[in-house]
Amino acid sequence: MTDEPHTHGAFPPTSSVRRWLVTTNHKDVGILYTITALFFLVFGGVLALLIRLQLWTPGTGVLSATSYNQAVSTHGLIMIFWFLSPFAFGFANYVVPLQIGAKDLAFPRLNALSYWLYLFSGILLGVSFFQGGSLAGGWTMYAPLNLPVYTPNIGASTGILALMLFVASVTVSSVNFLTTMHRMRAEGMTLWRMPLFSWTILLTVWMMLFAFAALLAALLILASDRLLGTTYFTATAGGSILWAHLFWFFGHPEVYIVFFPAVGVMAETFQTFTGRRLVGRKWFILAMILVAVQSFAVWMHHMFLTSINLQIKTLFMATTIGISLPFDLMVFALIYTTIKGRVRFATPFLFSFGALLLFVLGGVTGVFLGAVVLDYEFRGTYWVVAHFHYVMVGGVTALIGGLYYWFPKMSGKQYDEFLGKVHFALYFVGFNLLYFPMFLAWETPRRDFVYDPAFIPWHQLATVGAFVLGASFLVMFYNLSKSLVVGEPADGNPWSYSTTTEWAISSPPPLENFPGIPSFADGKLRFESKEHGTLEAGGADGATDGGVVTHKNMQTVHDDHDEDHASIWPFIVSIGAFFTLLGLSGFDQGQFTGGTTSLLILGGGIVLMGFALVSMAREKFSGPEGSFDESWPFADVENTKLGMWIFIASDVVLFGAFIGSYAFIRVAYGWTDWHPVPHDPLPGLVNTYFLLTSSFSVVLALVAAERNSKRGLIASLALTFTLGVAFLINKGLEWQELFHEGLTVSNGVRTSTFYLTTGLHAAHVIVGLLIVLYLIARAWNGAYLDDERPVEYFGLYWHFVDIVWLFLFPLFYIL
């Protein structure tokens, strides 16, 4: 593979609209993420101001009851999903490859695809408002309020589908970042030397990979209940509790997914503006690793008011309090760094230091909710609202500091420092005026605009604070917009004590990032040329958060031509996905109620997405490859292979959540009272033989490719396809017989779990068969004989699908 993307022609300039539609460069994608996230900040912020106006006095206000519920629900969803994480990943896309010495992310087109899926998922959520009303059951979407009996609008179903599209974006991005950060670090950039912002992104992405897979399972089940008529969450035995388990298994890691990048920004800015290395850096990293692992073991503290027994509640109270301890270490590390350094109160540091103060208050008030007895009192009140915002919007505070910190690098212009400080002053005052009164009016019911009149002064003060906070962002937008046009040019390193690699090159960086191959082998950044040895050295002494240094400003050597980083297909794929899901919203309880228009939208979306995916696969485009010196622990695993393994890891969680849901409902139903839906296990047994044999034929295909046997390769792939089709036909006949007996998807929770779980598996089989058809077509033209890796990578996927069936067969046919 070549080191650079395939050149199709001149890469469009940034002034061209086409540039932003076709770009796959990580810096461009980072800018797109940042700007789009700021748009959703405004969207969610306007909804927040409407909520605060409604709460000016108790009772009827500017919104109807239904509109208020929609505003509260979508405000939470937009801020958590479409603003917070994407805003952080705007910086991550731009900065992380620079910090680790990579020329781009491992899969540039997948990076572009993740952005476009994110954008169109947000547009799909916006469309839901025009379909009778969007989601209105709270951002947690608790069952049974998430079902059509309580939220019958088509828009509510569209909102669920929008979240599914967002999760697809997250999954693609997670695979990309993990592959890049584990496989593409420059020489000498060991994990321990990696800058702290990159460390927080690495841990965040690992959490995202598993947490969002659990959320996807919950959303697929919910969409099935709404669109197909399954009965998971209407089940009298454990239905609503099942949603809580699935959602909070995602929901609590999500708190750290949102907050970790903010911690990374705080660490970077504290080091830069105190002029010293972070105190206890290795312990800081170990504390973050511990929090990331523990975050998956505390979800039930959100369920203390449910019927789980006291012993379980006590256990999760202990894990909740325990997870606060490593956070204490991180907070003290930041405080001691400030004490031991020489602070310069620039705008990025002000926001980061303000975030630390806010988070301390948010964290302390959160420990109250970790105690079972206190949680009984505070749950469902504005104490939770205040605590939640001090943590989450406290994280936003640090990210705003990150925007100011990296603005000169991303734009090449310096912002107005005075206006930055005005923004901080308004922001900090508005923040505390808005959220602190909520602690004092904590007895106000959550998500309810009717409250005790004794709390009117506190709510009115909060509303004033909301508008002050909103006004502060007008200052920010004015400052950054003006600076883009008439701001002073920024040096490569406008800060005195920054020590990470992005500050060692020009602002903004060139398309290819570096003037040569970056190396940190001797603890100092140098750029090496393949032809001429060291191109330039000594510019960033230990550019890994490693110490107090002053950079020489690296002058970038530009090539005679810019290499093309263009592909239109990620954009087209995302449009197809958007229309496909918009058309699916026309289904309601197993009936297609959307009419001819929805049917045409659905069909057109499927055709467009399929065409774009095939075109994207056929496009000659290579991501950055090469010999990467720091690839532990995956030094012997290629990028694409590692990406496939990481995707399979997320799929393990997806199927695990489905199987776990089946087991949970069956236990609640009564394990011995539950009888398998298929009366005869023979069709399942036959399908087991089909899939096991098909796995063997994939192995034969790989052997044939290694032996340069075109005939053997095509024959083995054709056999795999035939066995997969036989599996689907056999399953289709089995389902037809069950339907004839009256056992439909909506017949009861027993049939719902059977059809949905085995149907998800069948969908994976269909995807596999489509890939086999593509492989056969390519093999017919002589592909894979000199490079059998695509066959091997497909085999990993196909073997995983077969292994899943080995779990499903006994669960649904025998036990």
Side-chain angles (χ1 to χ4, degrees):
M1 300 183 76
T2 60
D3 286 339
E4 306 298 337
H6 185 80
T7 301
H8 302 282
F11 194 46
T14 54
S15 58
S16 166
V17 174
R18 181 173 176 269
R19 161 70 169 258
W20 301 102
L21 294 178
V22 304
T23 185
T24 65
N25 182 266
H26 73 96
K27 297 181 293 296
D28 291 344
V29 174
I31 291 171
L32 288 170
Y33 262 109
T34 303
I35 293 173
T36 306
L38 288 172
F39 165 78
F40 284 112
L41 168 66
V42 174
F43 188 178
V46 169
L47 292 173
L49 294 179
L50 288 173
I51 294 168
R52 290 312 317 171
L53 285 174
Q54 183 83 356
L55 291 168
W56 183 259
T57 56
T60 305
V62 295
L63 300 172
S64 67
T66 301
S67 298
Y68 179 80
N69 287 338
Q70 289 183 54
V72 169
S73 304
T74 53
H75 161 73
L77 290 167
I78 288 168
M79 289 303 202
I80 290 170
F81 291 102
W82 280 278
F83 166 60
L84 269 166
S85 288
F87 189 43
F89 271 79
F91 305 146
N93 268 277
Y94 202 101
V95 172
V96 166
L98 297 174
Q99 287 194 341
I100 67 174
K103 301 186 80 171
D104 207 321
L105 290 177
F107 311 111
R109 289 185 301 172
L110 290 188
N111 195 28
L113 179 63
S114 72
Y115 167 74
W116 291 115
L117 291 174
Y118 156 61
L119 174 64
F120 281 105
S121 69
I123 295 173
L124 192 61
L125 181 70
V127 169
S128 69
F129 283 94
F130 302 96
Q131 294 179 304
S134 189
L135 292 161
W139 80 272
T140 54
M141 300 171 286
Y142 279 142
L145 294 179
N146 53 17
L147 297 172
V149 65
Y150 295 105
T151 49
N153 297 329
I154 293 176
S157 297
T158 304
I160 301 300
L161 296 172
L163 280 166
M164 290 170 57
L165 193 58
F166 178 83
V167 174
S169 164
V170 169
T171 303
V172 170
S173 180
S174 299
V175 170
N176 207 352
F177 268 89
L178 289 173
T179 303
T180 302
M181 298 184 77
H182 280 298
R183 279 275 306 143
M184 297 178 60
R185 301 189 307 279
E187 181 186 21
M189 179 59 73
T190 63
L191 282 174
W192 278 118
R193 284 182 172 180
M194 201 162 60
L196 287 171
F197 179 72
S198 291
W199 254 111
T200 59
I201 295 301
L202 178 63
L203 295 173
T204 297
V205 175
W206 272 116
M207 289 188 287
M208 290 169 66
L209 184 76
F210 300 123
F212 275 91
L215 177 64
L216 179 59
L219 293 172
L220 284 170
I221 293 171
L222 177 56
S224 177
D225 275 9
R226 294 187 66 91
L227 304 181
L228 303 179
T230 54
T231 58
Y232 271 80
F233 299 131
T234 57
T236 55
S240 59
I241 300 296
L242 173 64
W243 171 265
H245 278 294
L246 290 172
F247 182 84
W248 287 118
F249 187 79
F250 148 79
H252 202 82
E254 171 68 3
V255 173
Y256 305 105
I257 287 167
V258 166
F259 196 73
F260 262 32
V263 171
V265 171
M266 291 161 67
E268 297 286 359
T269 52
F270 270 61
Q271 292 183 127
T272 295
F273 295 103
T274 63
R276 68 156 293 131
R277 187 172 184 261
L278 187 73
V279 173
R281 184 180 186 274
K282 287 188 177 181
W283 290 106
F284 192 93
I285 294 170
L286 289 172
M288 290 193 298
I289 295 171
L290 186 59
V291 168
V293 174
Q294 280 186 272
S295 69
F296 289 93
V298 297
W299 81 92
M300 270 198 236
H301 74 224
H302 293 276
M303 301 169 61
F304 283 161
L305 268 63
T306 65
S307 58
I308 56 178
N309 64 52
L310 183 59
Q311 289 78 11
I312 298 286
K313 292 177 182 178
T314 304
L315 172 64
F316 277 85
M317 180 175 70
T319 60
T320 301
I321 295 172
I323 203 172
S324 68
L325 300 179
F327 258 116
D328 295 342
L329 187 152
M330 288 187 275
V331 168
F332 283 123
L334 293 169
I335 292 173
Y336 283 136
T337 302
T338 306
I339 294 172
K340 290 180 176 291
R342 187 173 180 180
V343 177
R344 285 159 296 126
F345 290 96
T347 301
F349 179 80
L350 288 172
F351 274 94
S352 292
F353 187 70
L356 179 62
L357 297 177
L358 298 174
F359 176 71
V360 167
L361 182 56
V364 169
T365 54
V367 174
F368 284 61
L369 297 169
V372 175
V373 175
L374 291 176
D375 188 75
Y376 272 62
E377 187 69 20
F378 288 132
R379 182 65 61 188
T381 70
Y382 261 64
W383 182 279
V384 177
V385 178
H387 151 71
F388 186 75
H389 284 83
Y390 262 88
V391 173
M392 303 295 269
V393 189
V396 173
T397 308
L399 294 177
I400 296 297
L403 180 61
Y404 281 107
Y405 183 60
W406 282 303
F407 178 80
K409 179 57 57 181
M410 298 169 78
S411 67
K413 298 292 182 72
Q414 193 66 40
Y415 63 84
D416 187 311
E417 183 66 38
F418 173 76
L419 288 178
K421 291 178 178 177
V422 170
H423 175 206
F424 172 73
L426 287 173
Y427 179 97
F428 200 74
V429 170
F431 182 105
N432 288 287
L433 277 177
L434 170 57
Y435 297 119
F436 193 79
M438 296 181 186
F439 285 121
L440 303 176
W442 69 270
E443 292 177 283
T444 304
R446 190 178 185 184
R447 304 191 187 108
D448 195 340
F449 55 84
V450 179
Y451 57 86
D452 190 329
F455 300 137
I456 288 176
W458 299 124
H459 281 287
Q460 291 184 347
L461 187 61
T463 299
V464 171
F467 279 89
V468 173
L469 183 63
S472 76
F473 283 101
L474 297 180
V475 177
M476 183 192 79
F477 286 125
Y478 171 73
N479 185 1
L480 300 186
S481 307
K482 185 193 78 167
S483 300
L484 279 173
V485 179
V486 298
E488 292 290 328
D491 293 334
N493 178 22
W495 317 120
S496 298
Y497 295 102
S498 54
T499 62
T500 46
T501 311
E502 74 269 27
W503 303 113
I505 53 180
S506 61
S507 297
L511 192 65
E512 304 301 326
N513 290 351
F514 306 110
I517 300 172
S519 173
F520 305 86
D522 57 2
K524 295 182 179 181
L525 171 63
R526 68 177 186 270
F527 294 123
E528 298 177 341
S529 169
K530 290 181 180 178
E531 294 82 9
H532 307 295
T534 299
L535 177 65
E536 188 165 357
D541 193 6
T544 60
D545 293 339
V548 181
V549 297
T550 302
H551 294 268
K552 294 177 186 176
N553 193 23
M554 287 285 187
Q555 299 300 317
T556 303
V557 179
H558 292 273
D559 295 330
D560 294 333
H561 66 278
D562 285 334
E563 305 239 9
D564 190 23
H565 292 244
S567 176
I568 192 63
W569 299 116
F571 176 66
I572 304 298
V573 169
S574 302
I575 293 176
F578 169 81
F579 284 115
T580 298
L581 294 182
L582 183 61
L584 278 177
S585 67
F587 279 92
D588 180 33
Q589 299 289 289
Q591 304 294 320
F592 192 77
T593 60
T596 305
T597 302
S598 289
L599 191 60
L600 290 173
I601 291 173
L602 174 61
I606 293 172
V607 170
L608 180 62
M609 183 168 59
F611 173 75
L613 284 171
V614 171
S615 300
M616 187 170 165
R618 289 173 54 83
E619 185 179 41
K620 294 182 179 179
F621 189 104
S622 298
E625 283 281 358
S627 175
F628 303 109
D629 291 277
E630 299 296 342
S631 301
W632 184 87
F634 303 109
D636 298 325
V637 184
E638 298 166 288
N639 280 3
T640 307
K641 188 174 184 178
L642 179 58
M644 178 59 75
W645 276 116
I646 292 170
F647 169 75
I648 289 173
S650 72
D651 227 17
V652 168
V653 177
L654 176 66
F655 275 106
F658 267 83
I659 293 171
S661 298
Y662 164 77
F664 181 85
I665 288 182
R666 181 166 177 176
V667 168
Y669 185 94
W671 188 272
T672 57
D673 297 330
W674 186 288
H675 302 289
V677 172
H679 306 304
D680 183 4
L682 183 60
L685 182 61
V686 171
N687 270 346
T688 303
Y689 284 117
F690 282 151
L691 285 186
L692 289 176
T693 307
S694 71
S695 266
F696 180 68
S697 65
V698 171
V699 174
L700 293 178
L702 180 59
V703 172
E706 292 173 343
R707 294 180 177 179
N708 290 315
S709 172
K710 177 179 177 180
R711 180 180 298 178
L713 173 62
I714 294 174
S716 298
L717 289 175
L719 178 59
T720 302
F721 181 81
T722 303
L723 291 168
V725 170
F727 172 90
L728 292 177
I729 291 173
N730 188 40
K731 178 162 285 298
L733 293 173
E734 177 191 32
W735 281 19
Q736 183 181 30
E737 183 178 346
L738 292 173
F739 286 160
H740 183 70
E741 296 174 9
L743 297 172
T744 64
V745 292
S746 57
N747 191 250
V749 72
R750 288 169 56 251
T751 57
S752 292
T753 55
F754 169 73
Y755 284 118
L756 193 58
T757 309
T758 58
L760 176 68
H761 177 266
H764 278 70
V765 172
I766 292 171
V767 170
L769 292 179
L770 293 174
I771 297 173
V772 171
L773 281 179
Y774 178 80
L775 293 177
I776 291 173
R778 292 286 316 281
W780 191 269
N781 294 320
Y784 312 130
L785 298 181
D786 56 348
D787 184 3
E788 72 281 356
R789 289 176 298 173
V791 179
E792 178 188 0
Y793 303 153
F794 164 72
L796 293 176
Y797 172 84
W798 192 255
H799 298 324
F800 167 73
V801 172
D802 294 352
I803 290 170
V804 169
W805 180 255
L806 294 180
F807 284 91
L808 299 186
F809 171 62
L811 275 175
F812 288 97
Y813 288 85
I814 298 174
L815 295 179

